[in-house]
Amino acid sequence: MSAVAHISDYKTGKFYRDEFRGDISWNGYEHNVLLRNDGRAANGTLVFNDVAMATGADDIRDARGLAIADFDNDGDLDIVTNNNPGDSGRSELARAMLLRNNVGERHNWLAVELEGTESNRDGVGALVTVETNGEIQTRQVTAGSSFASQHSARLYFGIGEQTQVAALVVRWPSGRVERFERIENNPIGARQLLRIKEGTGIAALSLPAQ
């Protein structure tokens, strides 16, 4: 099939019909994939499995950008994709698609928001490390995450069955390093939002209502 012919077929919507899903792969119109981290294999290598079809994420629209945030404030991360209609002439193909996560909130989590004073106000570039039961997780506040997309500046840490964390460390762009092990003489508990202002302190809050 010539390039002109297949572009024409896209304009008619032919390749968006169910009977063509997965039949032919065209550049820019492949099914989306969603890779789940299933831990390490016996040889120590990380194992990722595609769960897109099982979760409904295997959309054939031309997804160009992706952002991750807790859109419904339930403690887990959801996904939104920006889609490009190309030359199909179909504006509905450009609509963003939200994939809502209704599984992750079964496990414990910790959310962190930063406010810089010496550093930039949003804390872009800051590294946050959470220590739990001998395990360490690190997240970074970034600006610009994918094409025409931006992840939430609120950082999330999944801590499984742990009900508290041993310590939280913030490495600010200014060079300041702050370590927190307690909040008002209490352990840092799970399932809460921690708001940290550079050089000022830490406060525990509840997530905003959904």
Side-chain angles (χ1 to χ4, degrees), residues 74 104-110 159 189-193 205-206:
D74 64 351
E105 71 267 19
R106 300 174 187 174
H107 301 288
N108 287 331
W109 49 269
L110 197 67
I159 58 175
R191 292 182 173 268
Q192 59 183 342
L193 168 63
L205 308 168
S206 298

Side-chain angles (χ1 to χ4, degrees), residues 1-196:
M1 181 180 293
S2 70
V4 173
H6 95 256
I7 290 174
S8 175
D9 283 330
Y10 276 120
K11 287 182 177 179
T12 65
K14 175 179 178 180
F15 290 106
Y16 291 97
R17 295 204 300 266
D18 286 341
E19 60 264 33
F20 283 94
R21 289 174 66 85
D23 185 56
I24 300 175
S25 175
W26 301 103
N27 184 25
Y29 291 92
E30 296 86 357
H31 289 278
N32 292 336
V33 298
L34 180 61
L35 300 178
R36 182 181 64 196
N37 184 345
D38 285 328
R40 295 187 181 275
N43 62 2
T45 59
L46 287 172
V47 176
F48 293 88
N49 287 301
D50 185 3
V51 295
M53 182 174 290
T55 59
D58 62 332
D59 196 80
I60 200 171
R61 285 179 293 178
D62 193 5
R64 295 297 181 93
L66 177 145
I68 297 174
D70 185 5
F71 287 96
D72 50 4
N73 283 322
D74 64 351
D76 58 30
L77 292 173
D78 310 298
I79 298 173
V80 65
T81 62
N82 291 324
N83 299 299
N84 179 6
D87 55 6
S88 67
R90 298 176 59 186
S91 60
E92 70 271 18
L93 298 179
R95 295 172 184 165
M97 180 174 69
L98 175 63
L99 300 173
R100 182 175 177 179
N101 182 356
N102 289 326
V103 177
E105 71 267 19
R106 300 174 187 174
H107 301 288
N108 287 331
W109 49 269
L110 197 67
V112 178
E113 288 183 351
L114 302 180
E115 181 181 340
T117 53
E118 300 173 42
S119 305
N120 61 84
R121 188 183 186 282
D122 292 330
V124 174
L127 290 170
V128 179
T129 299
V130 167
E131 302 173 9
T132 57
N133 195 27
E135 296 184 356
I136 295 176
Q137 296 183 56
T138 299
R139 303 278 187 272
Q140 184 173 30
V141 181
T142 60
S145 310
S146 183
F147 177 74
S149 306
Q150 169 65 52
H151 296 328
S152 170
R154 183 192 296 167
L155 303 178
Y156 278 80
F157 298 84
I159 58 175
E161 302 301 321
Q162 301 295 319
T163 58
Q164 61 187 48
V165 302
L168 185 150
V169 179
V170 183
R171 292 175 172 83
W172 297 92
S174 65
R176 179 190 291 268
V177 178
E178 296 183 281
R179 181 182 177 90
F180 304 95
E181 296 181 352
R182 304 182 74 81
I183 302 176
E184 297 180 351
N185 294 321
N186 296 313
I188 301 176
R191 292 182 173 268
Q192 59 183 342
L193 168 63
L194 303 181
R195 188 162 292 161
I196 302 172

